[in-house]
Amino acid sequence: MFSHLPTLGVGLGFREPFKSDLFLNRQQVDFLEIVAEHYLDAPVQKQQELELLAAHFSIIPHAINLSLGSAEGLDTDYLGKLAALIKQLNPPWWSEHICFTKAGGVDIGHLSPLPYTKEAVEVLCRNIAEVRRWVDVPLILENITYMVTLPGAEMTEAQFLTEVVERADCGLLLDVTNLHTNAVNYGYDVRAFLAQLPKERIVQLHFVGGHWHDGILIDSHSQSTPLEVWELIDEVVDCASVKGIVLERDENLPPFGELAGELQKAREIGRSHGRWG
Ligand SMILES: [Fe+2]
């Protein structure tokens, strides 16, 4: 069902500080992911930056503040701007998170987890149906990390993610680091979790490393990718027809050569499973 999507290969989450290095290492990056919010209501120089990037790379818009899990519905002003950006870029797919970031008119400023309930599934499906009235590009949904779990769960997280993507007919952006982080912090078996996910819906992966603080693994996007995450990537790329993988480094940016080394490692994993060249 997502098999018709093109293979993009190995991508990088674009961050302004490494713009020059990106162009100097152009051949190592197959595509870019941009944070959509950086280009909504953007000043002229950001719009020019986007035009420059789009002239040289395929670009996947990654939204973080649509708040698909908001029971009150979506901010249509925001949705209209996001839809215009996606239309401008004309990507093969775009992505958002399975979470909420707005409630009761308040912008929480954080990707917040939803309760694993049928009602939350209904809310997501209703909001995604509204999104489809504005955007006809395939939507893939990302699993988040969380520091709290909400009471009243009627299913497991893996069942919830599966129910959402199947009912809303979306692809899955599996953040392998998020999966690893939650498994470590909540002590669950990551392989058992993976086994429950609908592999045929996994379109794209995210990966990066976080840091430890007081015995908790923090999803800080600030370190190189740990061995456990590389092993998981290898397993997922083996069993799912992944179309693209994106390194999502935000903090503590290293020399670009280190990022390029991680991209090369991801390239070799995909190549070994015949996913990309
Ligand atoms: Fe992510």
Side-chain angles (χ1 to χ4, degrees):
M1 77 201 54
F2 294 94
S3 55
H4 67 285
L5 293 175
T7 297
L8 294 189
V10 180
L12 182 59
F14 174 72
R15 309 295 179 251
E16 212 173 332
F18 57 63
K19 182 159 71 179
S20 329
D21 285 319
L22 173 65
F23 281 97
L24 289 171
N25 295 272
R26 168 71 189 86
Q27 69 289 352
Q28 309 203 42
V29 182
D30 298 334
F31 72 105
L32 295 176
E33 185 183 74
I34 57 147
V35 175
E37 283 72 11
H38 293 172
Y39 301 94
L40 303 180
D41 294 324
V44 154
Q45 62 265 36
K46 288 299 281 180
Q47 293 179 33
Q48 288 171 341
E49 174 184 89
L50 186 57
E51 283 167 22
L52 176 71
L53 297 176
H56 291 86
F57 296 90
S58 293
I59 295 186
I60 296 296
H62 182 51
I64 57 179
N65 203 20
L66 183 54
S67 196
L68 289 170
S70 285
E72 69 224 47
L74 300 174
D75 174 347
T76 51
D77 181 47
Y78 170 94
L79 178 54
K81 291 172 188 168
L82 180 62
L85 178 74
I86 295 168
K87 191 168 184 186
Q88 177 193 338
L89 293 169
N90 191 27
W93 68 82
W94 68 287
S95 55
E96 241 294 358
H97 301 82
I98 299 179
C99 74
F100 70 103
T101 59
K102 299 169 189 169
V106 176
D107 209 322
I108 304 168
H110 187 75
L111 304 177
S112 304
L114 292 159
Y116 304 140
T117 63
K118 290 179 191 139
E119 190 181 3
V121 173
E122 290 299 327
V123 166
L124 284 159
C125 289
R126 194 166 65 231
N127 286 337
I128 290 167
E130 171 70 10
V131 167
R132 290 217 167 95
R133 283 191 273 277
W134 296 71
V135 183
D136 63 2
V137 173
L139 169 60
I140 66 172
L141 300 173
E142 177 174 0
N143 56 308
I144 65 165
T145 56
Y146 41 84
M147 285 293 126
V148 291
T149 49
L150 301 184
E154 297 164 347
M155 56 192 101
T156 65
E157 183 190 358
Q159 288 167 335
F160 181 73
L161 298 180
T162 302
E163 183 85 359
V164 170
V165 293
E166 288 186 342
R167 287 272 313 279
D169 195 18
C170 290
L172 192 54
L173 164 49
L174 184 65
D175 189 314
V176 182
T177 299
N178 289 354
L179 186 58
H180 168 68
T181 304
N182 292 333
V184 165
N185 288 337
Y186 292 90
Y188 64 71
D189 180 349
V190 74
R191 265 86 201 171
F193 190 105
L194 257 184
Q196 293 179 67
L197 296 180
K199 309 290 181 306
E200 70 282 4
R201 289 184 181 272
I202 300 176
V203 172
Q204 190 197 310
L205 308 182
H206 271 168
F207 71 104
V208 69
H211 73 276
W212 288 92
H213 180 76
D214 281 349
I216 294 171
L217 185 51
I218 306 291
D219 175 33
S220 52
H221 297 198
S222 65
Q223 305 296 321
S224 58
T225 307
L227 178 63
E228 299 95 317
V229 171
W230 286 118
E231 289 172 353
L232 271 178
I233 291 172
D234 188 66
E235 288 176 37
V236 175
V237 171
D238 179 43
C239 69
S241 181
V242 178
K243 305 292 186 183
I245 182 167
V246 167
L247 173 58
E248 237 193 345
R249 185 73 176 257
D250 285 295
E251 301 291 332
N252 189 28
L253 290 176
F256 195 83
E258 273 186 43
L259 302 180
E262 294 208 58
L263 296 177
Q264 183 58 27
K265 195 164 175 174
R267 184 175 303 286
E268 283 159 15
I269 291 173
R271 203 176 267 159
S272 73
H273 296 288
R275 300 298 181 204
W276 49 73

